[in-house]
Amino acid sequence: MRTMLDKIKSRKFLMALLAAVTAFIKAYYPDFPDEALYTLAGVALGYIAVEGFVDAVAQLAQWLAKRSERNAH
């Protein structure tokens, strides 16, 4: 079972939160500059991409460690 903190930090949740914030801003402030929204979305997507890359590297390192451990025996 995942903890609540893990669920809040998940990439899916962050994307849903970004979509909700963007929709809220565009609904209540229609004259809000699109460039500012694109910048906010770009920063959030960059963070999510880096987190995904870190997760992938960690999984690869774990796989390589198990593989080398099996080959040593």
PDB file of all heavy atoms in Angstrom, residues 19-51:
ATOM      1  N   ALA A  19      -3.145  20.453 -14.568  1.00  0.00           N
ATOM      2  CA  ALA A  19      -4.304  20.675 -15.443  1.00  0.00           C
ATOM      3  C   ALA A  19      -5.405  21.434 -14.709  1.00  0.00           C
ATOM      4  O   ALA A  19      -6.029  22.341 -15.277  1.00  0.00           O
ATOM      5  CB  ALA A  19      -4.826  19.337 -15.952  1.00  0.00           C
ATOM      6  N   ALA A  20      -5.637  21.095 -13.457  1.00  0.00           N
ATOM      7  CA  ALA A  20      -6.680  21.782 -12.687  1.00  0.00           C
ATOM      8  C   ALA A  20      -6.324  23.242 -12.443  1.00  0.00           C
ATOM      9  O   ALA A  20      -7.181  24.122 -12.578  1.00  0.00           O
ATOM     10  CB  ALA A  20      -6.893  21.062 -11.356  1.00  0.00           C
ATOM     11  N   VAL A  21      -5.072  23.512 -12.098  1.00  0.00           N
ATOM     12  CA  VAL A  21      -4.644  24.888 -11.858  1.00  0.00           C
ATOM     13  C   VAL A  21      -4.736  25.704 -13.151  1.00  0.00           C
ATOM     14  O   VAL A  21      -5.210  26.845 -13.148  1.00  0.00           O
ATOM     15  CB  VAL A  21      -3.213  24.923 -11.272  1.00  0.00           C
ATOM     16  CG1 VAL A  21      -2.641  26.320 -11.291  1.00  0.00           C
ATOM     17  CG2 VAL A  21      -3.223  24.372  -9.855  1.00  0.00           C
ATOM     18  N   THR A  22      -4.317  25.116 -14.249  1.00  0.00           N
ATOM     19  CA  THR A  22      -4.392  25.811 -15.536  1.00  0.00           C
ATOM     20  C   THR A  22      -5.837  26.119 -15.909  1.00  0.00           C
ATOM     21  O   THR A  22      -6.154  27.223 -16.349  1.00  0.00           O
ATOM     22  CB  THR A  22      -3.730  24.960 -16.633  1.00  0.00           C
ATOM     23  OG1 THR A  22      -2.379  24.704 -16.269  1.00  0.00           O
ATOM     24  CG2 THR A  22      -3.757  25.656 -17.968  1.00  0.00           C
ATOM     25  N   ALA A  23      -6.719  25.135 -15.727  1.00  0.00           N
ATOM     26  CA  ALA A  23      -8.134  25.364 -16.036  1.00  0.00           C
ATOM     27  C   ALA A  23      -8.726  26.441 -15.131  1.00  0.00           C
ATOM     28  O   ALA A  23      -9.498  27.291 -15.594  1.00  0.00           O
ATOM     29  CB  ALA A  23      -8.909  24.060 -15.887  1.00  0.00           C
ATOM     30  N   PHE A  24      -8.371  26.431 -13.861  1.00  0.00           N
ATOM     31  CA  PHE A  24      -8.865  27.440 -12.929  1.00  0.00           C
ATOM     32  C   PHE A  24      -8.399  28.833 -13.341  1.00  0.00           C
ATOM     33  O   PHE A  24      -9.187  29.774 -13.383  1.00  0.00           O
ATOM     34  CB  PHE A  24      -8.380  27.117 -11.512  1.00  0.00           C
ATOM     35  CG  PHE A  24      -8.744  28.165 -10.506  1.00  0.00           C
ATOM     36  CD1 PHE A  24     -10.023  28.212  -9.969  1.00  0.00           C
ATOM     37  CD2 PHE A  24      -7.814  29.117 -10.110  1.00  0.00           C
ATOM     38  CE1 PHE A  24     -10.368  29.182  -9.038  1.00  0.00           C
ATOM     39  CE2 PHE A  24      -8.142  30.089  -9.188  1.00  0.00           C
ATOM     40  CZ  PHE A  24      -9.429  30.127  -8.650  1.00  0.00           C
ATOM     41  N   ILE A  25      -7.121  28.957 -13.663  1.00  0.00           N
ATOM     42  CA  ILE A  25      -6.584  30.263 -14.054  1.00  0.00           C
ATOM     43  C   ILE A  25      -7.268  30.763 -15.328  1.00  0.00           C
ATOM     44  O   ILE A  25      -7.666  31.927 -15.409  1.00  0.00           O
ATOM     45  CB  ILE A  25      -5.057  30.197 -14.229  1.00  0.00           C
ATOM     46  CG1 ILE A  25      -4.377  30.045 -12.867  1.00  0.00           C
ATOM     47  CG2 ILE A  25      -4.533  31.441 -14.938  1.00  0.00           C
ATOM     48  CD1 ILE A  25      -2.880  29.795 -12.951  1.00  0.00           C
ATOM     49  N   LYS A  26      -7.408  29.899 -16.316  1.00  0.00           N
ATOM     50  CA  LYS A  26      -8.026  30.331 -17.580  1.00  0.00           C
ATOM     51  C   LYS A  26      -9.511  30.635 -17.412  1.00  0.00           C
ATOM     52  O   LYS A  26     -10.055  31.484 -18.108  1.00  0.00           O
ATOM     53  CB  LYS A  26      -7.828  29.260 -18.661  1.00  0.00           C
ATOM     54  CG  LYS A  26      -6.422  29.221 -19.218  1.00  0.00           C
ATOM     55  CD  LYS A  26      -5.915  30.554 -19.682  1.00  0.00           C
ATOM     56  CE  LYS A  26      -6.364  30.916 -21.055  1.00  0.00           C
ATOM     57  NZ  LYS A  26      -5.825  32.197 -21.526  1.00  0.00           N
ATOM     58  N   ALA A  27     -10.186  29.955 -16.478  1.00  0.00           N
ATOM     59  CA  ALA A  27     -11.614  30.203 -16.274  1.00  0.00           C
ATOM     60  C   ALA A  27     -11.857  31.518 -15.547  1.00  0.00           C
ATOM     61  O   ALA A  27     -12.769  32.266 -15.905  1.00  0.00           O
ATOM     62  CB  ALA A  27     -12.241  29.052 -15.493  1.00  0.00           C
ATOM     63  N   TYR A  28     -11.060  31.816 -14.544  1.00  0.00           N
ATOM     64  CA  TYR A  28     -11.301  33.016 -13.739  1.00  0.00           C
ATOM     65  C   TYR A  28     -10.513  34.234 -14.203  1.00  0.00           C
ATOM     66  O   TYR A  28     -10.866  35.358 -13.870  1.00  0.00           O
ATOM     67  CB  TYR A  28     -11.014  32.723 -12.266  1.00  0.00           C
ATOM     68  CG  TYR A  28     -12.076  31.869 -11.652  1.00  0.00           C
ATOM     69  CD1 TYR A  28     -11.879  30.520 -11.465  1.00  0.00           C
ATOM     70  CD2 TYR A  28     -13.314  32.412 -11.295  1.00  0.00           C
ATOM     71  CE1 TYR A  28     -12.863  29.719 -10.922  1.00  0.00           C
ATOM     72  CE2 TYR A  28     -14.308  31.620 -10.750  1.00  0.00           C
ATOM     73  CZ  TYR A  28     -14.074  30.275 -10.559  1.00  0.00           C
ATOM     74  OH  TYR A  28     -15.054  29.490 -10.034  1.00  0.00           O
ATOM     75  N   TYR A  29      -9.450  34.003 -14.927  1.00  0.00           N
ATOM     76  CA  TYR A  29      -8.634  35.114 -15.455  1.00  0.00           C
ATOM     77  C   TYR A  29      -8.385  34.874 -16.944  1.00  0.00           C
ATOM     78  O   TYR A  29      -7.290  34.481 -17.348  1.00  0.00           O
ATOM     79  CB  TYR A  29      -7.301  35.203 -14.721  1.00  0.00           C
ATOM     80  CG  TYR A  29      -7.448  35.366 -13.230  1.00  0.00           C
ATOM     81  CD1 TYR A  29      -7.176  34.311 -12.373  1.00  0.00           C
ATOM     82  CD2 TYR A  29      -7.861  36.577 -12.681  1.00  0.00           C
ATOM     83  CE1 TYR A  29      -7.314  34.450 -11.010  1.00  0.00           C
ATOM     84  CE2 TYR A  29      -8.004  36.726 -11.322  1.00  0.00           C
ATOM     85  CZ  TYR A  29      -7.726  35.662 -10.488  1.00  0.00           C
ATOM     86  OH  TYR A  29      -7.871  35.796  -9.140  1.00  0.00           O
ATOM     87  N   PRO A  30      -9.383  35.083 -17.784  1.00  0.00           N
ATOM     88  CA  PRO A  30      -9.215  34.781 -19.210  1.00  0.00           C
ATOM     89  C   PRO A  30      -8.132  35.615 -19.889  1.00  0.00           C
ATOM     90  O   PRO A  30      -7.583  35.201 -20.909  1.00  0.00           O
ATOM     91  CB  PRO A  30     -10.580  35.076 -19.821  1.00  0.00           C
ATOM     92  CG  PRO A  30     -11.415  35.658 -18.760  1.00  0.00           C
ATOM     93  CD  PRO A  30     -10.699  35.580 -17.470  1.00  0.00           C
ATOM     94  N   ASP A  31      -7.804  36.758 -19.319  1.00  0.00           N
ATOM     95  CA  ASP A  31      -6.769  37.586 -19.934  1.00  0.00           C
ATOM     96  C   ASP A  31      -5.368  37.252 -19.408  1.00  0.00           C
ATOM     97  O   ASP A  31      -4.407  37.937 -19.756  1.00  0.00           O
ATOM     98  CB  ASP A  31      -7.068  39.067 -19.714  1.00  0.00           C
ATOM     99  CG  ASP A  31      -7.158  39.432 -18.241  1.00  0.00           C
ATOM    100  OD1 ASP A  31      -7.369  38.526 -17.417  1.00  0.00           O
ATOM    101  OD2 ASP A  31      -7.035  40.626 -17.918  1.00  0.00           O
ATOM    102  N   PHE A  32      -5.234  36.208 -18.609  1.00  0.00           N
ATOM    103  CA  PHE A  32      -3.924  35.781 -18.102  1.00  0.00           C
ATOM    104  C   PHE A  32      -3.062  35.399 -19.300  1.00  0.00           C
ATOM    105  O   PHE A  32      -3.504  34.675 -20.194  1.00  0.00           O
ATOM    106  CB  PHE A  32      -4.094  34.585 -17.167  1.00  0.00           C
ATOM    107  CG  PHE A  32      -2.896  34.283 -16.332  1.00  0.00           C
ATOM    108  CD1 PHE A  32      -2.663  34.987 -15.158  1.00  0.00           C
ATOM    109  CD2 PHE A  32      -1.995  33.301 -16.702  1.00  0.00           C
ATOM    110  CE1 PHE A  32      -1.562  34.711 -14.372  1.00  0.00           C
ATOM    111  CE2 PHE A  32      -0.897  33.024 -15.927  1.00  0.00           C
ATOM    112  CZ  PHE A  32      -0.677  33.727 -14.761  1.00  0.00           C
ATOM    113  N   PRO A  33      -1.825  35.861 -19.356  1.00  0.00           N
ATOM    114  CA  PRO A  33      -0.991  35.595 -20.539  1.00  0.00           C
ATOM    115  C   PRO A  33      -0.703  34.095 -20.725  1.00  0.00           C
ATOM    116  O   PRO A  33      -0.328  33.403 -19.787  1.00  0.00           O
ATOM    117  CB  PRO A  33       0.303  36.354 -20.265  1.00  0.00           C
ATOM    118  CG  PRO A  33       0.157  37.004 -18.950  1.00  0.00           C
ATOM    119  CD  PRO A  33      -1.161  36.683 -18.375  1.00  0.00           C
ATOM    120  N   ASP A  34      -0.902  33.644 -21.945  1.00  0.00           N
ATOM    121  CA  ASP A  34      -0.656  32.239 -22.256  1.00  0.00           C
ATOM    122  C   ASP A  34       0.813  31.864 -22.070  1.00  0.00           C
ATOM    123  O   ASP A  34       1.132  30.746 -21.676  1.00  0.00           O
ATOM    124  CB  ASP A  34      -1.075  31.927 -23.687  1.00  0.00           C
ATOM    125  CG  ASP A  34      -2.583  31.881 -23.845  1.00  0.00           C
ATOM    126  OD1 ASP A  34      -3.279  31.666 -22.834  1.00  0.00           O
ATOM    127  OD2 ASP A  34      -3.052  32.052 -24.987  1.00  0.00           O
ATOM    128  N   GLU A  35       1.710  32.807 -22.343  1.00  0.00           N
ATOM    129  CA  GLU A  35       3.134  32.527 -22.193  1.00  0.00           C
ATOM    130  C   GLU A  35       3.477  32.171 -20.744  1.00  0.00           C
ATOM    131  O   GLU A  35       4.317  31.319 -20.490  1.00  0.00           O
ATOM    132  CB  GLU A  35       3.982  33.716 -22.656  1.00  0.00           C
ATOM    133  CG  GLU A  35       3.910  33.991 -24.147  1.00  0.00           C
ATOM    134  CD  GLU A  35       2.660  34.784 -24.534  1.00  0.00           C
ATOM    135  OE1 GLU A  35       2.041  35.395 -23.650  1.00  0.00           O
ATOM    136  OE2 GLU A  35       2.306  34.740 -25.717  1.00  0.00           O
ATOM    137  N   ALA A  36       2.820  32.844 -19.805  1.00  0.00           N
ATOM    138  CA  ALA A  36       3.064  32.539 -18.391  1.00  0.00           C
ATOM    139  C   ALA A  36       2.568  31.136 -18.051  1.00  0.00           C
ATOM    140  O   ALA A  36       3.241  30.393 -17.313  1.00  0.00           O
ATOM    141  CB  ALA A  36       2.376  33.575 -17.504  1.00  0.00           C
ATOM    142  N   LEU A  37       1.429  30.766 -18.592  1.00  0.00           N
ATOM    143  CA  LEU A  37       0.932  29.400 -18.367  1.00  0.00           C
ATOM    144  C   LEU A  37       1.854  28.362 -18.987  1.00  0.00           C
ATOM    145  O   LEU A  37       2.110  27.312 -18.404  1.00  0.00           O
ATOM    146  CB  LEU A  37      -0.480  29.241 -18.932  1.00  0.00           C
ATOM    147  CG  LEU A  37      -1.599  29.870 -18.134  1.00  0.00           C
ATOM    148  CD1 LEU A  37      -2.924  29.706 -18.846  1.00  0.00           C
ATOM    149  CD2 LEU A  37      -1.671  29.281 -16.746  1.00  0.00           C
ATOM    150  N   TYR A  38       2.354  28.655 -20.189  1.00  0.00           N
ATOM    151  CA  TYR A  38       3.272  27.729 -20.845  1.00  0.00           C
ATOM    152  C   TYR A  38       4.561  27.589 -20.043  1.00  0.00           C
ATOM    153  O   TYR A  38       5.134  26.501 -19.961  1.00  0.00           O
ATOM    154  CB  TYR A  38       3.591  28.193 -22.265  1.00  0.00           C
ATOM    155  CG  TYR A  38       2.400  28.200 -23.190  1.00  0.00           C
ATOM    156  CD1 TYR A  38       2.330  29.103 -24.238  1.00  0.00           C
ATOM    157  CD2 TYR A  38       1.339  27.319 -23.021  1.00  0.00           C
ATOM    158  CE1 TYR A  38       1.247  29.122 -25.096  1.00  0.00           C
ATOM    159  CE2 TYR A  38       0.250  27.337 -23.870  1.00  0.00           C
ATOM    160  CZ  TYR A  38       0.212  28.228 -24.908  1.00  0.00           C
ATOM    161  OH  TYR A  38      -0.855  28.248 -25.744  1.00  0.00           O
ATOM    162  N   THR A  39       5.005  28.675 -19.452  1.00  0.00           N
ATOM    163  CA  THR A  39       6.207  28.618 -18.629  1.00  0.00           C
ATOM    164  C   THR A  39       5.975  27.765 -17.387  1.00  0.00           C
ATOM    165  O   THR A  39       6.801  26.917 -17.045  1.00  0.00           O
ATOM    166  CB  THR A  39       6.652  30.033 -18.220  1.00  0.00           C
ATOM    167  OG1 THR A  39       6.890  30.795 -19.398  1.00  0.00           O
ATOM    168  CG2 THR A  39       7.896  29.986 -17.373  1.00  0.00           C
ATOM    169  N   LEU A  40       4.844  27.974 -16.717  1.00  0.00           N
ATOM    170  CA  LEU A  40       4.524  27.160 -15.545  1.00  0.00           C
ATOM    171  C   LEU A  40       4.391  25.683 -15.911  1.00  0.00           C
ATOM    172  O   LEU A  40       4.900  24.810 -15.210  1.00  0.00           O
ATOM    173  CB  LEU A  40       3.227  27.653 -14.897  1.00  0.00           C
ATOM    174  CG  LEU A  40       3.276  29.037 -14.262  1.00  0.00           C
ATOM    175  CD1 LEU A  40       1.872  29.449 -13.820  1.00  0.00           C
ATOM    176  CD2 LEU A  40       4.233  29.049 -13.095  1.00  0.00           C
ATOM    177  N   ALA A  41       3.714  25.417 -17.014  1.00  0.00           N
ATOM    178  CA  ALA A  41       3.552  24.032 -17.453  1.00  0.00           C
ATOM    179  C   ALA A  41       4.898  23.426 -17.844  1.00  0.00           C
ATOM    180  O   ALA A  41       5.174  22.266 -17.541  1.00  0.00           O
ATOM    181  CB  ALA A  41       2.580  23.960 -18.624  1.00  0.00           C
ATOM    182  N   GLY A  42       5.739  24.196 -18.492  1.00  0.00           N
ATOM    183  CA  GLY A  42       7.060  23.705 -18.887  1.00  0.00           C
ATOM    184  C   GLY A  42       7.928  23.352 -17.692  1.00  0.00           C
ATOM    185  O   GLY A  42       8.619  22.333 -17.691  1.00  0.00           O
ATOM    186  N   VAL A  43       7.877  24.203 -16.680  1.00  0.00           N
ATOM    187  CA  VAL A  43       8.647  23.920 -15.462  1.00  0.00           C
ATOM    188  C   VAL A  43       8.139  22.650 -14.794  1.00  0.00           C
ATOM    189  O   VAL A  43       8.919  21.788 -14.394  1.00  0.00           O
ATOM    190  CB  VAL A  43       8.577  25.123 -14.503  1.00  0.00           C
ATOM    191  CG1 VAL A  43       9.107  24.765 -13.136  1.00  0.00           C
ATOM    192  CG2 VAL A  43       9.345  26.300 -15.073  1.00  0.00           C
ATOM    193  N   ALA A  44       6.830  22.515 -14.692  1.00  0.00           N
ATOM    194  CA  ALA A  44       6.258  21.322 -14.057  1.00  0.00           C
ATOM    195  C   ALA A  44       6.580  20.063 -14.868  1.00  0.00           C
ATOM    196  O   ALA A  44       6.945  19.022 -14.310  1.00  0.00           O
ATOM    197  CB  ALA A  44       4.755  21.482 -13.896  1.00  0.00           C
ATOM    198  N   LEU A  45       6.453  20.154 -16.184  1.00  0.00           N
ATOM    199  CA  LEU A  45       6.764  19.001 -17.026  1.00  0.00           C
ATOM    200  C   LEU A  45       8.251  18.658 -16.980  1.00  0.00           C
ATOM    201  O   LEU A  45       8.625  17.479 -17.018  1.00  0.00           O
ATOM    202  CB  LEU A  45       6.316  19.257 -18.460  1.00  0.00           C
ATOM    203  CG  LEU A  45       4.809  19.285 -18.670  1.00  0.00           C
ATOM    204  CD1 LEU A  45       4.479  19.702 -20.095  1.00  0.00           C
ATOM    205  CD2 LEU A  45       4.200  17.945 -18.346  1.00  0.00           C
ATOM    206  N   GLY A  46       9.096  19.667 -16.876  1.00  0.00           N
ATOM    207  CA  GLY A  46      10.527  19.407 -16.733  1.00  0.00           C
ATOM    208  C   GLY A  46      10.833  18.676 -15.443  1.00  0.00           C
ATOM    209  O   GLY A  46      11.617  17.723 -15.422  1.00  0.00           O
ATOM    210  N   TYR A  47      10.214  19.110 -14.363  1.00  0.00           N
ATOM    211  CA  TYR A  47      10.394  18.437 -13.078  1.00  0.00           C
ATOM    212  C   TYR A  47       9.924  16.984 -13.158  1.00  0.00           C
ATOM    213  O   TYR A  47      10.613  16.068 -12.695  1.00  0.00           O
ATOM    214  CB  TYR A  47       9.626  19.179 -11.987  1.00  0.00           C
ATOM    215  CG  TYR A  47       9.569  18.429 -10.687  1.00  0.00           C
ATOM    216  CD1 TYR A  47      10.685  18.357  -9.857  1.00  0.00           C
ATOM    217  CD2 TYR A  47       8.414  17.761 -10.286  1.00  0.00           C
ATOM    218  CE1 TYR A  47      10.637  17.655  -8.668  1.00  0.00           C
ATOM    219  CE2 TYR A  47       8.364  17.065  -9.106  1.00  0.00           C
ATOM    220  CZ  TYR A  47       9.472  17.009  -8.293  1.00  0.00           C
ATOM    221  OH  TYR A  47       9.418  16.307  -7.129  1.00  0.00           O
ATOM    222  N   ILE A  48       8.771  16.775 -13.773  1.00  0.00           N
ATOM    223  CA  ILE A  48       8.230  15.426 -13.895  1.00  0.00           C
ATOM    224  C   ILE A  48       9.135  14.562 -14.770  1.00  0.00           C
ATOM    225  O   ILE A  48       9.377  13.392 -14.463  1.00  0.00           O
ATOM    226  CB  ILE A  48       6.791  15.491 -14.443  1.00  0.00           C
ATOM    227  CG1 ILE A  48       5.878  16.106 -13.379  1.00  0.00           C
ATOM    228  CG2 ILE A  48       6.289  14.132 -14.879  1.00  0.00           C
ATOM    229  CD1 ILE A  48       4.524  16.513 -13.886  1.00  0.00           C
ATOM    230  N   ALA A  49       9.681  15.124 -15.838  1.00  0.00           N
ATOM    231  CA  ALA A  49      10.586  14.375 -16.705  1.00  0.00           C
ATOM    232  C   ALA A  49      11.869  13.991 -15.969  1.00  0.00           C
ATOM    233  O   ALA A  49      12.355  12.861 -16.096  1.00  0.00           O
ATOM    234  CB  ALA A  49      10.921  15.190 -17.951  1.00  0.00           C
ATOM    235  N   VAL A  50      12.420  14.913 -15.196  1.00  0.00           N
ATOM    236  CA  VAL A  50      13.641  14.615 -14.439  1.00  0.00           C
ATOM    237  C   VAL A  50      13.371  13.539 -13.394  1.00  0.00           C
ATOM    238  O   VAL A  50      14.178  12.620 -13.212  1.00  0.00           O
ATOM    239  CB  VAL A  50      14.216  15.901 -13.800  1.00  0.00           C
ATOM    240  CG1 VAL A  50      15.298  15.586 -12.799  1.00  0.00           C
ATOM    241  CG2 VAL A  50      14.749  16.824 -14.884  1.00  0.00           C
ATOM    242  N   GLU A  51      12.238  13.627 -12.712  1.00  0.00           N
ATOM    243  CA  GLU A  51      11.881  12.599 -11.720  1.00  0.00           C
ATOM    244  C   GLU A  51      11.731  11.238 -12.391  1.00  0.00           C
ATOM    245  O   GLU A  51      12.153  10.221 -11.846  1.00  0.00           O
ATOM    246  CB  GLU A  51      10.590  12.976 -10.999  1.00  0.00           C
ATOM    247  CG  GLU A  51      10.766  14.068  -9.992  1.00  0.00           C
ATOM    248  CD  GLU A  51      11.623  13.641  -8.818  1.00  0.00           C
ATOM    249  OE1 GLU A  51      11.427  12.541  -8.281  1.00  0.00           O
ATOM    250  OE2 GLU A  51      12.516  14.416  -8.454  1.00  0.00           O
TER     251      GLU A  51
END
